[in-house]
């Protein structure tokens, strides 16, 4: 069997930076508690390992408000401005591990909304990154994820400026499709493609591999937005595409009759898991 591993599989720059930040803080703080506001990344294996090192996850604003000592680390997805303000008011030591590309969107949204623009975020309204981005707007925000939502979008004042940004891990082709629908409305629109270049490269490489293999394996946490999009992209190119979180989820019998297998992984998938899957597939065939 021939196995092709995507060069872009695994931790992206922002995720690696965030994870390294938590491990460094956990090693250097001694007895003081370490928290992350939300899971540092969408990967249960990484979160579990950090918990064993004493890092606790704060799930709600109420839990954050109850913190009296230690360090709170902002995860790679970022947080709304009100969360940063709360930590500053309480005097909580904060380490910001927000992905720099996400941080840039926060600045754009804050500045453009300050100028009076209506902000459109192309993305999943329930994703923590999108929740964080919308929390930096100082005026009206609309989150659009589907063609129907794009077609239905309208603003009361046709003369108002509109600024469009995207969730960094959104599907690039879907982003273009939604923007085209919005642009047909002839508003004064400023479109900023804020999809991370690493995300676009990962999606393009995954699609290219999936087109030429018999089976495709996509590795990542089930809650990972970018992995889910990778899976959708690969499945469109290769019918036998499998979404797994760890090696335990992979049924080797499904690969018995194939000659070529492609492997890719989401931005929050550790190399250890990718290597384990690759080595076991190779060993079994």
């Amino acid at each position: 069997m021939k196995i092709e591993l995507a060069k872009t599989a695994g931790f992206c720059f922002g995720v690696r930076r965030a994870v390294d930040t938590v491990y460094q803080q956990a090693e250097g703080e001694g007895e003081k508690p370490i928290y992350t506001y939300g899971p540092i990344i969408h990967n249960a294996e990484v979160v579990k390992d950090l918990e064993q090192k004493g890092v606790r996850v704060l799930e709600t604003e109420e839990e954050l408000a109850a913190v009296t000592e230690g360090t709170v680390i902002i995860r790679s997805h970022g947080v709304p401005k009100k969360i940063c303000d709360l930590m500053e008011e309480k005097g909580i030591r904060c380490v910001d591990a927000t992905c720099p590309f996400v941080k840039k969107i926060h600045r754009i949204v804050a500045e453009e909304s300050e100028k009076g623009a209506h902000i459109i975020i192309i993305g999943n309204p329930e994703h923590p990154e999108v929740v964080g981005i919308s929390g930096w707007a100082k005026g009206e925000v609309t989150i659009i994820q589907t063609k129907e939502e794009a077609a239905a979008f309208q603003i009361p004042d046709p003369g108002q400026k509109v600024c469009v940004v995207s969730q960094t891990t959104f599907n690039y082709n879907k982003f273009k499709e939604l923007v085209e629908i919005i642009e047909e409305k002839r508003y004064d629109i400023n479109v900023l493609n804020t999809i991370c270049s690493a995300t676009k490269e990962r999606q393009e490489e995954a699609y290219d591999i999936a087109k030429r293999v018999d089976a495709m394996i996509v590795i990542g946490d089930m809650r990972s937005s970018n992995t889910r999009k990778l899976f959708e992209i690969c499945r469109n190119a290769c019918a036998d595409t499998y979404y797994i979180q760890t090696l335990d989820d992979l049924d080797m019998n499904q690969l018995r009759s194939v000659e070529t297998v492609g492997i890719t992984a989401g931005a929050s998938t550790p190399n250890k898991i990718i290597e384990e899957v690759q080595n076991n597939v190779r060993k079994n065939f």
Side-chain angles (χ1 to χ4, degrees):
M1 177 189 285
K2 181 186 175 187
I3 299 170
E4 185 171 356
L5 174 65
K7 294 181 179 66
T8 54
F11 280 0
C12 64
F13 161 74
V15 165
R16 186 176 301 283
R17 176 178 172 272
V19 171
D20 288 349
T21 296
V22 184
Y23 279 107
Q24 287 163 9
Q25 292 295 321
E27 289 169 8
E29 279 299 288
E31 297 299 312
K32 291 186 179 179
I34 300 283
Y35 307 92
T36 62
Y37 188 71
I40 190 68
I41 58 169
H42 280 150
N43 188 279
E45 302 298 312
V46 172
V47 172
K48 196 188 305 178
D49 186 52
L50 287 168
E51 281 176 354
Q52 290 170 356
K53 297 183 185 303
V55 178
R56 284 183 49 200
V57 177
L58 301 171
E59 296 286 1
T60 65
E61 197 172 330
E62 289 71 29
E63 288 180 6
L64 175 63
V67 171
T68 56
E69 63 171 344
T71 300
V72 176
I73 302 168
I74 296 176
R75 58 181 168 178
S76 54
H77 304 106
V79 294
K81 186 177 185 297
K82 67 176 181 177
I83 298 300
C84 297
D85 292 343
L86 174 60
M87 286 191 271
E88 191 174 338
E89 287 165 17
K90 286 181 61 66
I92 299 170
R93 180 173 182 264
C94 171
V95 175
D96 191 352
T98 304
C99 169
F101 298 114
V102 175
K103 201 77 176 169
K104 180 182 176 182
I105 305 173
H106 291 177
R107 289 195 295 271
I108 291 168
V109 166
E111 289 169 6
E112 292 299 317
S113 60
E114 179 75 44
K115 295 174 188 173
H118 185 114
I119 303 296
I120 294 178
I121 304 169
I122 304 289
N124 177 356
E126 296 178 4
H127 193 278
E129 181 191 319
V130 175
V131 172
I133 293 168
S134 63
W136 286 84
K138 299 170 184 177
E140 297 165 311
V141 181
T142 301
I143 299 167
I144 292 176
Q145 186 176 16
T146 66
K147 288 189 286 186
E148 292 74 21
E149 289 168 348
F153 172 74
Q154 56 182 347
I155 51 177
D157 177 10
Q160 184 182 13
K161 291 182 182 295
V162 176
C163 177
V164 180
V165 296
S166 174
Q167 180 180 339
T168 57
T169 55
F170 203 73
N171 182 312
Y172 177 66
N173 289 327
K174 283 188 178 178
F175 171 77
K176 287 196 300 182
E177 184 179 51
L178 296 179
V179 166
E180 283 172 9
I181 295 170
I182 297 165
E183 285 180 328
E184 287 174 1
K185 299 175 186 296
R186 305 298 180 192
Y187 294 133
D188 184 356
I189 295 179
N190 179 22
V191 178
L192 298 165
N193 176 9
T194 54
I195 294 175
C196 172
S197 58
T199 295
K200 186 169 177 287
E201 288 167 15
R202 187 190 308 269
Q203 291 174 354
E204 288 174 348
E205 185 188 23
Y207 181 73
D208 286 342
I209 293 173
K211 279 191 302 185
R212 58 176 180 263
V213 296
D214 300 322
M216 190 76 186
I217 300 169
V218 181
I219 313 167
D221 196 282
M222 294 301 162
R223 295 170 301 167
S224 166
S225 173
N226 76 86
T227 308
R228 195 161 51 248
K229 290 179 179 68
L230 272 183
F231 172 68
E232 291 167 4
I233 288 166
C234 291
R235 189 173 53 182
N236 284 335
C238 177
D240 293 326
T241 295
Y242 306 101
Y243 189 160
I244 65 170
Q245 188 158 307
T246 67
L247 178 63
D248 294 339
D249 302 321
L250 182 61
D251 181 356
M252 291 293 181
N253 290 322
Q254 293 174 316
L255 304 177
R256 293 286 172 202
S257 61
V258 304
E259 295 181 1
T260 55
V261 173
I263 300 174
T264 189
S268 52
T269 307
N271 280 340
K272 185 176 82 170
I273 295 176
I274 299 169
E275 288 170 5
E276 191 176 29
V277 171
Q278 182 185 18
N279 292 339
N280 273 271
V281 171
R282 183 170 282 123
K283 185 173 70 178
N284 279 277
F285 300 99

